[in-house]
Amino acid sequence: MAMRKFSKLDEEVLICCICVETLTEPKILGCFHRFCKQCLAKVIENIPVAEKTFCCPVCRKEFDIPEGGIEEIKGDFLLEAILECRQLEKDVQDKQREQICSSCDELAAMMAICPDCGGFVCQECNLSHKKLKAFRCHQHIVTLEDIECGKVAFNVQSMSSILKAPKCPVHEDMVLHINCLTCDKLICPVCAPIHHNGHQFEEIASAAERIKSSVQAMLKETVISGKALAETFETIENNKQEKINAVLDTLLEIKAAAQTKRRIISSTRDVTLEKLEEKRKMVIKTAEDDLFDISQKEASLVSEMKYFERFCSYIFENLEKEIDSKRKMLRNSQMTAQILTEDFDNWSVVLAAPEVKHSLQVAVDETNRHDRDLRLEGLCNFTVKFDTHNLSLSEPLEDLWSKCWEEHWVTELSKADENWHKHGYTKEICSIKYIHEVRKLVIAGRQSKEVEVATLDIKSGDILERSNICFPSGNLQPQHVVIAGIMNDSIYTSARYRKSFLINRNSNNRFIFTPFKLLGQTAVVSCITQDENRDELVVGVCGSTTLYRCNFKAMGLSSIPIRVEDLNPPVFLAVTKEGNIMYCDGGSQAITVSSRGILVSQFPPRNVLDRSLAIVEDQNGNVCILWQGENKSQRGEESKISDQDSCKASVVRLYTPSGTFISELIFDESVTMMTMMITDDDQDALVLASPEGRIHCYKMTSLGKGWCKCIQERNAE
C-alpha cells in the first residue's frame, strides 16, 4: 500500500488493547476500540451461553453477541489497509522481493508494481508489459528500483487501489468504478446499463469527495464542541480553586477568631482575679465555661466547613472525570474521521462514512447535552460568610440545602376534586402512603362517616381512581384513619371509634371489619404500618410506648416493649428494609429500634421545640423525618394572626441510617403527612401533604445526591 509514513496517525490506534501487539485482522466495536480478531474471539468464547451480550474490554460498554459470532463483527478495513501499507513499505525496505507474481503466478524475484495486475510482477512480466499490445492499457507500472531511489511518490489512494480495489461480484474482472445513487451501491461499468438502466450515477471519485466534505463538516462541529468543553473545564478549574480557597480562608478566620476570644477571656480572667480575689472561683468557672463553649462552637464550625470542603472537592473531581471522558470520546471520533478524510481511497470513504458520521454525531450530542451542570451552578452561586462576633456562620448552609431539592409537581385536591365539598361537609386528608408493591400513591380522606381512598398519578399528582369505605352504621364516626399497606391484593386501613379499633380490608370492593383487643382491653390506636418482611402490621396505641404486631393469618397479637428513656407514645411508625422499626413520638424524639425494641439510632431535631410527625426510608437506607415547629419569620407583636394558625412551619430533615444529619427542606406552610415515592425512572421522591389537600412532590437534584454521598462517605470513615 502506501509508501510513506502516516505522520498524523496515533501509534496507539494500531495496537490491540488485549495483546498489546500490532493488530491482526482488526475488528472494531461501536465504541471505536479495536482488537485482533483472535483476541476478541477469546473474549466472546468466555461468555456463558445463556448471556447474549459482552462488554468492551476497555470501556466496558455492552454489545450484543452476533448470531454468527466473531465473523459477523465488523472488520476495520481502514486500519487493515494501513497495516498492509506498512508491511509493503517494510517488504521493499528489507529487499523481500521473492514473491508470487500477480501476472504469471510464478514464484520469482519481483521487479515492479502494476496496479492493473493487482500487485508485484516479475522481470519477464515487466518486459512483457513494455512489448505486448495486451498490456498497453497498463499505464501505471513502476519499478521497485525507482521507488527505492525516491523517483516515484505513491499516495494511499493509488497504493490501496493495487490491493483493495473491489471487484464486481458478477463480472469478476471489472472494478467497481461507479456509485449508483438510486440503489446506494457500488457497481461496475458493465452492470450500469444492464442492471441499473435509468438510475442516477456518479463516478467513485466524485462520491468520495462529496462524502469527505460532509465528514469534514461534522469534524469541524466536533472541534467547536471540544472548544466549548475546554471552556467548561476551565470554568470548573477556576471555580474549584476559588471555592476551596474560600473555605480554607473561612477555616483560618474561624481559628483566628477563636484564638482572639481565648486571649480576651484569659486576659479578663486574670485582671478580675487580681481585683476581686473573693470572686476567683466564680470567675474561673465562668471563663472555663466560656472557653469550653467557644471550643465546642469552633469544633462544630470546623467540622461543618470540612464537610463542605470535601463536598466541593468531590463534586469538582467528578465533573473533571466526566469532562475528561467526553474529551477522550471527541478525540477518538476526530481521529477516526481524520484518518478517513485524509488517508483513504474512494471505496473506503463510501463504505465507512455512515458509521463514522454516526460516531461524530454521537460525540457532538454527548458533549453538548449539558451546557452547565446543576452541581457546578449550585456551587458557583453559593457563598460562605462568617460572623466573628458570634463565632458562627452568618449565612448557614440552608442556601446550599435548598438547591439539593427540586419541586416535581404540586396538586391541590380541593381545586381538582369536584366532590371536595359534599352535603355541606368538608373533606380532610388524614393519610398518604406510597404502596411499593403496586407502585401506587394512595390517599385517605375523611368526610363525616365515610372515608374515601383514592390513587394519584405518580407523574402528575392527578386523581386516577377512588372508592368510598362505609364503616358500620350507628352514631360512631371514624376519628383516625391510616393507610397501612397492601397484602394479598387488599388495601388495609384502620379507624378509631372512641375506644375501639377496626381493621378494614378492601378486596374486590368487599369490606371486612375486624376488631382487635390489646392486652385484654379495647385499645385506642394511634398509628399503624405494614411490616413487609413478616406480612404483618405494626400497631402503636395511645398512652403507651409498647408496640404490637398484628398477624392476620393467625389473628394474633404480640407486644414489643421499647427500651428508650423519655419517649412519648408513637404518632407515626414505619418498618425499614432490614426489619427495624422507625418511631416518631410527636415530640423531640425520632428513633430507630430493632424488632425487639432496642435502640439502634437517634435523629436530632433542629431545636427542642420541633415535633416529629412522620419518618420514611429511601432506597439507599437514608432516613427522612418531617418535623413541625415555629416559623420565626412570621412571629412578632404586630402580627394579627394567632400563633396557632400562622407560626407553624414544617421542615424535612435527611439523615444517614446512623443518625448523621445530611440536609433539610424547609416549608413556610404546615404539612403534616409524608411518604417516600419511587418515580418511573427509579428515583426517590418525597411527597408531603396538608389536611387541606395541598400535596407537594420533591426530587433530589444532582447537587443533593453529591452532597448526600459525600456525607455518607465521611460518616463511614
Side-chain angles (χ1 to χ4, degrees):
M1 293 183 65
M3 307 307 292
R4 64 177 179 84
K5 298 293 182 182
F6 286 81
S7 59
K8 296 182 181 180
L9 182 64
D10 197 327
E11 287 294 335
E12 65 185 31
V13 177
L14 302 178
I15 301 299
C16 174
C17 298
I18 297 178
C19 65
V20 199
E21 299 290 343
T22 302
L23 288 164
T24 305
E25 295 184 85
K27 294 286 185 178
I28 185 169
L29 300 181
C31 56
F32 280 90
H33 289 121
R34 301 168 171 87
F35 309 93
C36 297
K37 176 181 178 181
Q38 293 302 321
C39 293
L40 192 59
K42 291 179 181 179
V43 173
I44 296 177
E45 289 172 1
N46 292 328
I47 302 297
V49 179
E51 297 185 16
K52 297 184 178 180
T53 60
F54 71 98
C55 295
C56 171
V58 177
C59 66
R60 310 306 299 170
K61 184 175 181 181
E62 197 173 77
F63 297 96
D64 295 331
I65 299 177
E67 293 183 1
I70 190 67
E71 297 298 335
E72 290 191 12
I73 295 180
K74 183 176 180 59
D76 192 345
F77 62 89
L78 297 179
L79 229 43
E80 188 175 357
I82 291 177
L83 292 170
E84 291 179 3
C85 172
R86 292 194 168 186
Q87 184 60 43
L88 178 57
E89 289 179 345
K90 187 176 182 303
D91 290 346
V92 174
Q93 293 173 359
D94 295 346
K95 310 296 184 179
Q96 296 178 6
R97 298 186 177 181
E98 187 169 322
Q99 299 181 25
I100 301 296
C101 178
S102 60
S103 181
C104 66
D105 295 334
E106 292 293 334
L107 179 63
M110 299 297 105
M111 300 299 296
I113 298 176
C114 179
D116 297 300
C117 290
F120 294 101
V121 293
C122 62
Q123 183 174 5
E124 293 183 4
C125 292
N126 183 32
L127 294 174
S128 299
H129 275 68
K130 297 178 180 179
K131 296 179 179 181
L132 299 179
K133 293 181 179 181
F135 294 109
R136 288 182 179 176
C137 59
H138 294 198
Q139 298 292 326
H140 303 93
I141 188 166
V142 180
T143 64
L144 298 183
E145 183 179 357
D146 289 341
I147 295 175
E148 292 175 356
C149 296
K151 296 180 179 180
V152 179
F154 278 82
N155 56 35
V156 173
Q157 179 172 330
S158 63
M159 290 307 296
S160 62
S161 299
I162 295 174
L163 302 179
K164 292 295 180 180
K167 299 299 181 65
C168 179
V170 179
H171 310 95
E172 298 180 354
D173 294 335
M174 300 301 295
V175 178
L176 301 177
H177 281 296
I178 300 174
N179 181 31
C180 179
L181 296 174
T182 304
C183 301
D184 192 17
K185 180 180 179 182
L186 293 176
I187 61 175
C188 73
V190 178
C191 288
I194 298 176
H195 303 294
H196 299 265
N197 188 25
H199 292 189
Q200 290 185 347
F201 304 123
E202 65 177 342
E203 201 264 333
I204 184 66
S206 300
E209 288 301 321
R210 174 175 54 81
I211 293 174
K212 283 182 180 180
S213 298
S214 64
V215 171
Q216 287 171 344
M218 296 185 70
L219 191 60
K220 291 180 180 178
E221 289 187 34
T222 65
V223 173
I224 296 173
S225 298
K227 291 180 179 178
L229 207 59
E231 292 175 359
T232 302
F233 185 80
E234 184 179 353
T235 301
I236 290 174
E237 283 295 318
N238 294 336
N239 280 282
K240 171 185 175 182
Q241 198 57 46
E242 178 185 345
K243 293 302 174 184
I244 291 178
N245 289 341
V247 171
L248 294 176
D249 291 343
T250 305
L251 282 172
L252 293 175
E253 190 178 353
I254 291 170
K255 293 181 179 180
Q259 187 62 31
T260 301
K261 290 285 185 179
R262 288 193 185 96
R263 288 197 299 268
I264 294 173
I265 292 172
S266 298
S267 176
T268 303
R269 179 191 63 185
D270 295 340
V271 172
T272 304
L273 285 174
E274 291 176 0
K275 293 181 179 181
L276 303 170
E277 182 64 28
E278 66 274 10
K279 296 183 179 180
R280 183 178 61 85
K281 293 182 180 181
M282 183 182 298
V283 171
I284 291 176
K285 186 178 184 306
T286 302
E288 289 177 347
D289 290 343
D290 289 343
L291 288 172
F292 178 78
D293 181 59
I294 289 174
S295 297
Q296 291 291 97
K297 288 181 178 180
E298 178 191 14
S300 176
L301 288 171
V302 168
S303 176
E304 194 169 3
M305 294 310 298
K306 285 184 177 179
Y307 268 112
F308 186 59
E309 176 193 2
R310 178 170 182 159
F311 174 58
C312 288
S313 299
Y314 172 83
I315 292 296
F316 281 115
E317 286 172 6
N318 278 274
L319 286 173
E320 287 170 355
K321 290 178 181 178
E322 292 176 15
I323 295 295
D324 187 58
S325 176
K326 292 179 181 179
R327 293 172 73 178
K328 288 180 179 178
M329 186 197 316
L330 273 177
R331 177 176 172 271
N332 207 355
S333 60
Q334 289 172 339
M335 185 185 302
T336 303
Q338 197 168 1
I339 291 173
L340 178 68
T341 56
E342 295 183 1
D343 297 327
F344 281 93
D345 59 273
N346 299 331
W347 297 286
S348 301
V349 171
V350 173
L351 294 173
E355 290 191 6
V356 174
K357 293 170 69 175
H358 175 71
S359 70
L360 290 172
Q361 189 61 54
V362 169
V364 172
D365 294 342
E366 185 66 25
T367 53
N368 294 338
R369 183 171 298 172
H370 300 293
D371 293 334
R372 192 167 184 85
D373 194 282
L374 176 61
R375 294 166 291 179
L376 178 61
E377 186 71 29
L379 289 179
C380 291
N381 295 334
F382 177 71
T383 58
V384 180
K385 293 185 179 180
F386 176 68
D387 186 352
T388 57
H389 300 288
N390 297 321
L391 202 63
S392 62
L393 293 177
S394 57
E395 292 190 10
L397 294 178
E398 292 177 1
D399 183 37
L400 174 65
W401 295 332
S402 65
K403 295 181 175 66
C404 292
W405 299 88
E406 62 180 354
E407 194 167 73
H408 188 42
W409 50 259
V410 178
T411 295
E412 292 196 45
L413 297 182
S414 58
K415 296 180 179 180
D417 188 355
E418 297 178 357
N419 299 321
W420 190 262
H421 301 288
K422 183 179 180 182
H423 305 303
Y425 297 107
T426 301
K427 189 186 299 182
E428 176 187 358
I429 300 298
C430 50
S431 183
I432 182 168
K433 188 178 182 69
Y434 175 72
I435 310 297
H436 183 270
E437 294 84 351
V438 293
R439 299 182 73 87
K440 288 183 178 180
L441 185 61
V442 185
I443 62 170
R446 182 177 60 222
Q447 183 170 304
S448 185
K449 298 180 181 180
E450 295 184 352
V451 173
E452 181 183 75
V453 177
T455 36
L456 301 183
D457 186 351
I458 62 175
K459 293 182 179 179
S460 62
D462 298 334
I463 297 178
L464 297 177
E465 55 185 358
R466 70 180 79 202
S467 62
N468 290 324
I469 302 174
C470 297
F471 286 88
S473 60
N475 295 325
L476 301 179
Q477 294 185 3
Q479 297 173 329
H480 184 83
V481 179
V482 176
I483 300 169
I486 290 186
M487 291 187 292
N488 302 323
D489 298 326
S490 301
I491 296 179
Y492 287 84
T493 60
S494 73
R496 187 178 74 207
Y497 280 82
R498 291 182 181 175
K499 294 185 178 181
S500 64
F501 163 41
L502 297 179
I503 292 293
N504 168 40
R505 178 181 178 186
N506 178 8
S507 180
N508 297 324
N509 294 323
R510 297 180 60 192
F511 304 99
I512 303 173
F513 300 92
T514 308
F516 282 88
K517 292 184 178 181
L518 309 179
L519 299 177
Q521 299 179 354
T522 303
V524 178
V525 173
S526 62
C527 49
I528 183 172
T529 188
Q530 179 184 358
D531 187 346
E532 299 175 1
N533 303 304
R534 303 190 181 192
D535 201 22
E536 295 177 336
L537 296 179
V538 179
V539 181
V541 297
C542 297
S544 174
T545 58
T546 299
L547 305 180
Y548 297 89
R549 288 190 180 276
C550 171
N551 188 295
F552 281 94
K553 294 182 180 179
M555 293 297 291
L557 295 169
S558 60
S559 62
I560 309 172
I562 306 299
R563 301 176 177 85
V564 178
E565 296 182 357
D566 301 326
L567 189 67
N568 297 325
V571 298
F572 193 93
L573 296 172
V575 179
T576 69
K577 293 186 286 292
E578 296 181 353
N580 294 328
I581 300 173
M582 298 189 291
Y583 184 117
C584 288
D585 73 344
S588 61
Q589 292 258 40
I591 61 175
T592 298
V593 296
S594 68
S595 58
R596 299 172 58 186
I598 301 173
L599 180 65
V600 175
S601 54
Q602 290 181 302
F603 308 98
R606 288 195 303 170
N607 56 69
V608 294
L609 297 178
D610 287 347
R611 298 188 302 111
S612 59
L613 298 183
I615 184 169
V616 292
E617 180 188 42
D618 67 14
Q619 296 182 90
N620 298 316
N622 296 318
V623 178
C624 284
I625 300 178
L626 174 61
W627 300 88
Q628 191 173 75
E630 293 186 354
N631 189 347
K632 297 181 180 180
S633 63
Q634 294 182 356
R635 298 185 62 185
E637 297 179 356
E638 299 179 358
S639 176
K640 298 181 180 180
I641 305 176
S642 66
D643 288 344
Q644 184 177 3
D645 295 332
S646 66
C647 293
K648 297 299 181 184
S650 303
V651 57
V652 177
R653 304 196 93 201
L654 179 64
Y655 306 83
T656 65
S658 62
T660 301
F661 171 72
I662 298 176
S663 67
E664 63 184 25
L665 181 62
I666 301 175
F667 293 88
D668 290 333
E669 61 182 281
S670 174
V671 294
T672 59
M673 291 158 282
M674 177 178 69
T675 187
M676 183 69 74
M677 181 182 75
I678 300 177
T679 61
D680 287 344
D681 55 355
D682 203 33
Q683 299 295 317
D684 291 312
L686 271 176
V687 182
L688 302 110
S690 63
E692 295 78 17
R694 186 173 176 85
I695 302 176
H696 302 260
C697 180
Y698 284 86
K699 293 176 66 176
M700 185 170 283
T701 64
S702 58
L703 181 71
K705 293 175 183 177
W707 175 256
C708 184
K709 186 173 181 179
C710 181
I711 298 297
Q712 289 173 329
E713 291 177 353
R714 178 69 178 268
N715 194 45
E717 293 178 352

